[in-house]
Amino acid sequence: MAKSSADDEELRRACEAAIEGTKQKIVMSIRVAKGRGMWGKSGKLGRNMAKPRVLALSTKAKGQRTKAFLRVLKYSTGGVLEPAKLYKLKHLSKVEVITNDPSGCTFTLGFDNLRGKSVAPPQWTMRNIDDRNRLLLCILNICKDVLGRLPKVVGIDVVEMALWAKENTPTVTTQRNQQDGPVAATVTESDLKVTVERELVSQAEEEDMEALLGTYVMGIGEAEAFSERLKRELLALEAANVHAILESEPMVDEVLQGLEAATNCVDDMDEWLGIFNVKLRHMREDIESIETRNNKLEMQSVNNKSLIEELDRLLERLRVPSEYAACLTGGSFDEARMLQNVEACEWLTGALRGLEVPNLDPIYANMRAVREKRAELEKLKTTFVRRASEFLRNYFASLVDFMISDKSYFSQRGQLKRPDHADLRYKCRTYARLLQHLKSLDKKCLGTLRKAYCSSLNLLLRREAREFANELRASTKASRNPSVWLEGSSGSGHSGHSDTSPVSDAYAKMLTIFIPLLVDESSFFAHFMCFEVPTLVPPGNVPNGNRSDDDTNDDDLGIMDIDENDSKADKNSADLATLNEALQELLNGIQEDFYAVVDWAYKIDPLRCISMHGITERYLSGQKADAAGFVRLLLGDLESRISMQFGRFVDEACHQIERNERNVRQMGVLSYIPRFATLATRMEQYIQGQSRDLVDQAYTKFVSIMFVTLEKIAQTDPKYADIFLLENYAAFQNSLYDLANVVPTLAKFYHQASEAYEQACTRHISMIIYYQFERLFQFARKIEDLMYTITPEEIPFQLGLSKMDLRKMLKSSLSGVDKSIAAMYKKLQKNLTSEELLPSLWDKCKKEFLDKYDSFAQLVAKVYPNETIPSVAEMRDLLASM
């Protein structure tokens, strides 16, 4: 058959380029149009939705087998073919030509691996019938040759296909790779013929049939002769049949007899088979019964075996090893035996937990053997806990008694001894793991053990603190300073004060030695006695930084918490409260020795309370951990004690100030003002750390009492009150000038004294000026009062304010004004005890007088414009010349 334009060499090369690299060979390629039909509506071709595609048949050799594929290629945007779909021909099950297409050029290919798809298979439309037949014949040939089977063909006339195949013998050129390159091979018509549904015949069979038919001469040319011939042959056939029937009667009888005998045999066989069937049915029932009993026996055997294994495991869990039982009931608690004791505890803890419902099947929980074994383990636990608790209580007491009996552990005369608990903690640490297991076995036993440890160690700590504090006080050399600072009597000598720094150094040494010790003891106690609290003091958190290397890891027991995963927030808070109560019992009473050092330092120098307060505050700010709660309470009590003692000193000093107002008339600068400056200077020298607030509060109390007392004393003699006030306020400012520049609290009182000084100066100077020039300034005051109600021009006509009255007043006041000014200076100097204040007071007096006289001159110029009075410049020159 002629090659169509749908399959040309250019298209084949394009297809080979598209699948290059797949090792597949193109057998045939042809252009088609792809459409999509609807399920159940195969007649709708959807030509409007047709898309151009290329169908290519390819093969791939894999060893002795050959695989065949149907490829669908589409055109890309640049017109280049690219693979779109790939079907394996081994899954091709049906080739169906669409009957609703009049042209017969549309068909579908059904693949058995795509039956479950919910989308209808695509419909392929060829350009003509020849293209369709060429493609389908090629597909069927490949299926027969390669796969050895043919798909089902529907909707096509196989005779038409055979005739078309006979008329069109195609020549297919295939490429075979040989050593000399590709060689063209010709496939004849016989290679492309195919039998569809076994209805097509081969070429050889068709030729044999034609030869056979050709040897028979029908002689149909003469109809009557042919009819006569047929009649004669029919009669001859009927005669032959009758003759044959007659001749075969004996044979028929023999056959009938044989059939009857066979029928009897069959009946007998049927009866036997019925009997055998009944027997077999009974035998089958017996076999089924035997199998049922056998299955039950096998099930029972398996269950019994599993039960025995489970009981063996349960018995293993219930067995108490003899070595553990002996260790728990009567073993020694010596250090060499602790490993065996710990192993026995671990086994007992695991055994008890293994008999609890979460770890034990609830079915076994109420078994008698389990209940008895649980009671036996509880008895073992109670016995071991009682023995271990009694041993540890005696052990703690014996350790402390041994240390107390040895005087070398404590401070002695002439030798301060730092407490060293390293050996004590080492010995206790041996039993730390035992305590952990005791807690897991019975938490209640820890209460008595904690009390025993606290009571024993409390004796040791109090003895160490008492001996250390006594020797510290005895070895510190410092003379006592007077506690009377602000007494009004002049006989008290405050000129010299001895150095009392060894007192505060002794207190700091007491804290340096014992605060880290108490914190370490608290931390060790919390870990050793199994309290579930956070870490007490992180390494290196001691404020003074003098902690010894030996004590760095004292609170690290080298053990892990057994039930640390069970810790909860509320549990921690409850343990923390219990820990603080235990620490109170552990360290209670030791504060008395700290109080004794504070009281001793206060008696030597009360001002040392300031430095001790700062030292205590520094330590207090460094104790942030919850487990050091008692240490914080101790430091807080010490701070309160120091504040109370310092408050006693401040109150006594305030009483000394208040005694001044009971004395006889006071003149000049009070004695407590310069003494307060000395006291403040010394207090500033003692300030350390956070003691600033304590000192500022003392300053506030001191100065408040000083100013109140000063005002009360001034009120006893109003005539000289202003002179008394300005002298004392001036002395306060002069004595505290340097301190006020650096101390904000004193600066505030400095400014308050400055304001009071200015007010007293103003009152005193105004009194002196009015005393000497009373008529002059009274006349000016009358004019000022009238100017609020009448005009300046009307004032000269008022009674007592005429021009004549003005002249009389000027004559009496300003005649001999130099003598009046000299008298004013003498009066200012007369009662002033502080001569250094006179120049500044006289300058203030002259300035005040000039200001007042300037105001008087302006009033005269406004009310009496024609009157002449001494000018302000003349008066200023007169004051400057004196």
Side-chain angles (χ1 to χ4, degrees):
M1 61 184 173
K3 183 178 293 185
S4 169
S5 62
D7 181 19
D8 53 17
E9 292 299 329
E10 183 179 356
L11 181 61
R12 183 189 297 271
R13 286 194 298 272
C15 293
E16 289 176 349
I19 66 170
E20 185 178 2
T22 61
K23 298 182 180 180
Q24 296 181 11
K25 296 181 180 180
I26 300 297
V27 177
M28 179 180 182
S29 60
I30 193 166
R31 293 183 177 88
V32 298
K34 177 184 177 182
R36 180 73 67 178
M38 300 294 291
W39 290 106
K41 300 180 180 180
S42 59
K44 293 187 178 181
L45 302 176
R47 294 182 182 274
N48 294 332
M49 302 296 291
K51 300 176 183 177
R53 292 290 187 269
V54 172
L55 293 181
L57 293 169
S58 61
T59 60
K60 179 180 180 181
K62 188 174 183 181
Q64 298 296 329
R65 295 184 303 166
T66 302
K67 293 185 178 181
F69 304 94
L70 174 65
R71 284 187 171 273
V72 181
L73 298 98
K74 65 180 181 180
Y75 290 95
S76 62
T77 55
V80 180
L81 284 176
E82 59 182 18
K85 296 275 187 171
L86 176 65
Y87 300 98
K88 294 182 179 180
L89 285 184
K90 69 178 181 179
H91 295 298
L92 182 63
S93 60
K94 184 172 70 172
V95 178
E96 181 180 1
V97 177
I98 303 302
T99 58
N100 290 354
D101 184 7
S103 64
C105 296
T106 302
F107 64 93
T108 60
L109 299 176
F111 294 88
D112 54 9
N113 61 337
L114 300 178
R115 289 176 182 174
K117 302 294 183 179
S118 59
V119 181
Q123 298 176 351
W124 310 101
T125 303
M126 313 303 292
R127 297 186 179 184
N128 49 52
I129 296 296
D130 293 338
D131 287 350
R132 183 202 70 181
N133 291 340
R134 289 176 65 247
L135 178 62
L136 295 183
L137 278 174
C138 187
I139 291 174
L140 294 174
N141 277 327
I142 291 177
C143 288
K144 180 180 178 182
D145 297 339
V146 176
L147 304 177
R149 64 176 181 83
L150 292 173
K152 183 178 180 181
V153 180
V154 180
I156 187 170
D157 190 352
V158 293
V159 177
E160 178 186 351
M161 284 283 288
L163 293 175
W164 184 88
K166 183 178 180 181
E167 294 173 359
N168 299 274
T169 302
T171 300
V172 181
T173 303
T174 59
Q175 299 294 332
R176 292 181 299 177
N177 292 328
Q178 297 179 354
Q179 296 179 356
D180 298 333
V183 177
T186 302
V187 182
T188 61
E189 178 184 357
S190 62
D191 295 328
L192 294 177
K193 290 287 181 70
V194 66
T195 302
V196 182
E197 294 278 358
R198 300 190 182 275
E199 294 174 0
L200 298 178
V201 296
S202 65
Q203 183 67 27
E205 292 173 343
E206 186 177 356
E207 292 176 354
D208 293 340
M209 290 174 64
E210 289 179 355
L212 180 61
L213 291 174
T215 59
Y216 185 73
V217 179
M218 297 294 293
I220 304 178
E222 297 176 0
E224 294 179 359
F226 182 67
S227 177
E228 289 295 331
R229 179 182 173 184
L230 288 179
K231 288 179 181 180
R232 287 193 303 270
E233 290 181 359
L234 178 60
L235 291 175
L237 286 173
E238 288 177 352
N241 288 337
V242 171
H243 178 73
I245 290 172
L246 292 176
E247 285 181 351
S248 60
E249 181 178 1
M251 299 176 62
V252 170
D253 293 337
E254 187 179 353
V255 170
L256 289 176
Q257 291 175 2
L259 288 176
E260 184 176 0
T263 301
N264 294 330
C265 291
V266 169
D267 291 338
D268 294 339
M269 184 65 69
D270 181 62
E271 184 177 356
W272 294 342
L273 289 177
I275 295 172
F276 290 151
N277 188 28
V278 172
K279 292 182 177 181
L280 288 174
R281 185 172 70 249
H282 291 305
M283 189 178 295
R284 192 181 305 113
E285 293 175 355
D286 294 339
I287 292 173
E288 289 179 355
S289 177
I290 293 171
E291 288 180 350
T292 301
R293 289 196 300 271
N294 187 35
N295 291 338
K296 290 181 179 179
L297 289 174
E298 288 183 359
M299 181 67 70
Q300 186 176 0
S301 175
V302 171
N303 290 338
N304 289 337
K305 184 178 179 180
S306 300
L307 178 59
I308 291 173
E309 292 176 355
E310 186 67 23
L311 289 176
D312 289 339
R313 287 195 295 268
L314 181 60
L315 287 174
E316 182 64 26
R317 295 173 69 175
L318 297 180
R319 188 179 69 85
V320 179
S322 59
E323 64 274 14
Y324 291 156
C327 186
L328 292 172
T329 54
S332 172
F333 290 101
D334 293 340
E335 183 175 349
R337 296 277 301 170
M338 281 313 300
L339 181 60
Q340 290 85 344
N341 288 324
V342 169
E343 290 178 354
C345 285
E346 290 176 351
W347 174 86
L348 181 58
T349 303
L352 287 171
R353 288 181 178 176
L355 295 182
E356 295 176 356
V357 172
N359 302 316
L360 181 68
D361 195 320
I363 299 174
Y364 300 147
N366 294 323
M367 289 180 61
R368 179 180 175 183
V370 174
R371 286 188 279 109
E372 291 178 354
K373 187 56 64 175
R374 188 183 296 116
E376 181 182 352
L377 293 179
E378 288 291 339
K379 186 177 180 180
L380 280 176
K381 180 188 78 172
T382 304
T383 302
F384 180 77
V385 169
R386 176 179 53 78
R387 292 178 57 250
S389 300
E390 183 178 358
F391 168 78
L392 288 175
R393 287 197 300 270
N394 296 332
Y395 183 74
F396 295 151
S398 63
L399 275 180
V400 173
D401 290 342
F402 174 76
M403 295 182 68
I404 290 178
S405 63
D406 189 354
K407 293 184 179 181
S408 62
Y409 278 104
F410 307 105
S411 299
Q412 301 178 17
R413 182 176 298 277
Q415 180 184 5
L416 279 174
K417 180 77 172 180
R418 176 192 292 267
D420 185 7
H421 292 180
D423 186 57
L424 173 66
R425 293 176 190 171
Y426 174 78
K427 292 179 179 179
C428 290
R429 199 176 290 117
T430 304
Y431 299 94
R433 191 65 180 172
L434 179 62
L435 281 171
Q436 289 282 333
H437 287 289
L438 288 178
K439 177 185 177 183
S440 64
L441 291 173
D442 185 7
K443 290 185 178 180
K444 295 180 181 179
C445 73
L446 287 181
T448 57
L449 289 176
R450 290 166 179 172
K451 287 180 184 267
Y453 182 85
C454 289
S455 60
S456 299
L457 197 63
N458 180 261
L459 295 175
L460 178 63
L461 290 174
R462 291 178 63 181
R463 173 75 180 276
E464 289 173 339
R466 183 170 65 253
E467 297 293 342
F468 190 88
N470 292 339
E471 180 58 28
L472 187 66
R473 293 196 300 270
S475 61
T476 302
K477 306 299 182 182
S479 60
R480 180 173 299 184
N481 272 341
S483 60
V484 179
W485 281 84
L486 304 177
E487 185 64 54
S489 61
S490 59
S492 300
H494 296 281
S495 58
H497 293 274
S498 61
D499 182 18
T500 59
S501 59
V503 174
S504 56
D505 293 341
Y507 175 76
K509 190 170 187 177
M510 183 79 175
L511 293 186
T512 301
I513 297 298
F514 276 91
I515 293 302
L517 175 67
L518 297 182
V519 172
D520 287 345
E521 286 300 331
S522 300
S523 176
F524 179 81
F525 174 73
H527 285 78
F528 182 58
M529 285 299 171
C530 309
F531 286 96
E532 296 179 6
V533 292
T535 303
L536 306 191
V537 178
N541 199 29
V542 179
N544 59 353
N546 294 329
R547 187 173 177 180
S548 63
D549 295 337
D550 296 336
D551 297 339
T552 303
N553 297 320
D554 280 350
D555 58 345
D556 182 12
L557 303 183
I559 59 175
M560 55 178 286
D561 292 335
I562 292 178
D563 49 356
E564 61 183 354
N565 295 329
D566 300 332
S567 59
K568 304 284 177 64
D570 53 349
K571 191 174 181 180
N572 287 343
S573 61
D575 261 14
L576 189 58
T578 307
L579 173 61
N580 286 328
E581 293 176 2
L583 290 177
Q584 180 76 20
E585 186 176 354
L586 175 67
L587 305 177
N588 190 28
I590 198 173
Q591 64 270 21
E592 298 300 331
D593 298 299
F594 287 88
Y595 293 163
V597 174
V598 171
D599 296 342
W600 164 76
Y602 172 76
K603 291 177 182 178
I604 293 179
D605 186 0
L607 293 182
R608 283 296 166 183
C609 291
I610 300 173
S611 56
M612 289 192 298
H613 185 277
I615 295 170
T616 308
E617 183 65 32
R618 186 176 74 250
Y619 275 89
L620 188 59
S621 63
Q623 302 301 324
K624 299 298 183 184
D626 286 336
F630 182 81
V631 178
R632 288 206 319 277
L633 292 177
L634 172 63
L635 292 172
D637 292 342
L638 283 175
E639 188 178 36
S640 301
R641 184 87 169 199
I642 294 169
S643 300
M644 181 193 71
Q645 295 286 25
F646 187 69
R648 285 177 52 193
F649 166 74
V650 173
D651 292 339
E652 181 62 28
C654 290
H655 289 317
Q656 295 171 13
I657 295 173
E658 290 174 346
R659 291 192 192 104
N660 286 274
E661 66 176 292
R662 304 193 190 103
N663 295 337
V664 191
R665 178 173 175 266
Q666 301 280 337
M667 292 297 293
V669 178
L670 295 178
S671 60
Y672 62 71
I673 289 181
R675 289 175 181 174
F676 171 72
T678 305
L679 175 64
T681 302
R682 195 166 181 83
M683 289 171 67
E684 288 296 321
Q685 295 172 355
Y686 290 165
I687 291 178
Q688 292 186 17
Q690 302 295 325
S691 55
R692 174 83 263 169
D693 293 340
L694 183 71
V695 174
D696 287 344
Q697 293 172 7
Y699 285 158
T700 302
K701 196 167 185 179
F702 281 145
V703 178
S704 299
I705 294 296
M706 287 168 60
F707 286 176
V708 170
T709 304
L710 191 62
E711 294 291 340
K712 288 182 179 180
I713 294 175
Q715 290 174 5
T716 59
D717 191 359
K719 180 177 180 181
Y720 301 103
D722 292 332
I723 297 177
F724 179 75
L725 289 175
L726 67 89
E727 285 183 335
N728 280 276
Y729 282 127
F732 181 85
Q733 294 179 74
N734 292 333
S735 61
L736 291 177
Y737 177 78
D738 294 332
L739 286 177
N741 287 328
V742 293
V743 182
T745 303
L746 292 179
K748 179 182 69 173
F749 291 115
Y750 181 90
H751 293 303
Q752 183 178 341
S754 177
E755 293 176 1
Y757 170 77
E758 293 295 335
Q759 293 174 3
C761 287
T762 302
R763 290 195 303 271
H764 184 57
I765 290 171
S766 298
M767 184 270 295
I768 292 175
I769 292 174
Y770 276 109
Y771 181 78
Q772 293 296 329
F773 298 95
E774 182 178 3
R775 292 187 62 188
L776 177 68
F777 294 113
Q778 279 184 354
F779 193 87
R781 186 177 299 170
K782 290 179 182 180
I783 296 175
E784 289 176 350
D785 294 341
L786 288 175
M787 289 185 69
Y788 290 109
T789 57
I790 60 177
T791 61
E793 291 79 8
E794 297 177 352
I795 292 177
F797 301 101
Q798 302 299 318
L799 181 63
L801 296 176
S802 63
K803 292 182 180 180
M804 185 59 66
D805 295 330
L806 173 65
R807 295 190 189 103
K808 289 181 180 180
M809 183 273 299
L810 289 176
K811 184 177 180 181
S812 63
S813 297
L814 296 182
S815 60
V817 66
D818 52 346
K819 295 180 180 180
S820 298
I821 293 175
M824 189 168 59
Y825 178 78
K826 290 180 180 180
K827 188 170 182 62
L828 182 64
Q829 185 183 19
K830 180 179 179 182
N831 296 316
L832 194 65
T833 59
S834 301
E835 295 294 334
E836 67 273 7
L837 297 178
L838 184 60
S840 62
L841 286 176
W842 177 239
D843 291 338
K844 289 179 181 291
C845 184
K846 291 190 291 185
K847 182 177 181 303
E848 183 72 18
F849 176 75
L850 287 176
D851 291 341
K852 292 180 180 294
Y853 187 78
D854 186 20
S855 300
F856 172 74
Q858 292 178 8
L859 289 174
V860 170
K862 188 181 295 183
V863 178
Y864 308 99
N866 296 325
E867 296 295 327
T868 59
I869 61 172
S871 64
V872 176
E874 293 175 356
M875 199 64 68
R876 182 179 294 109
D877 293 339
L878 178 61
L879 289 173
S881 64
M882 297 186 67

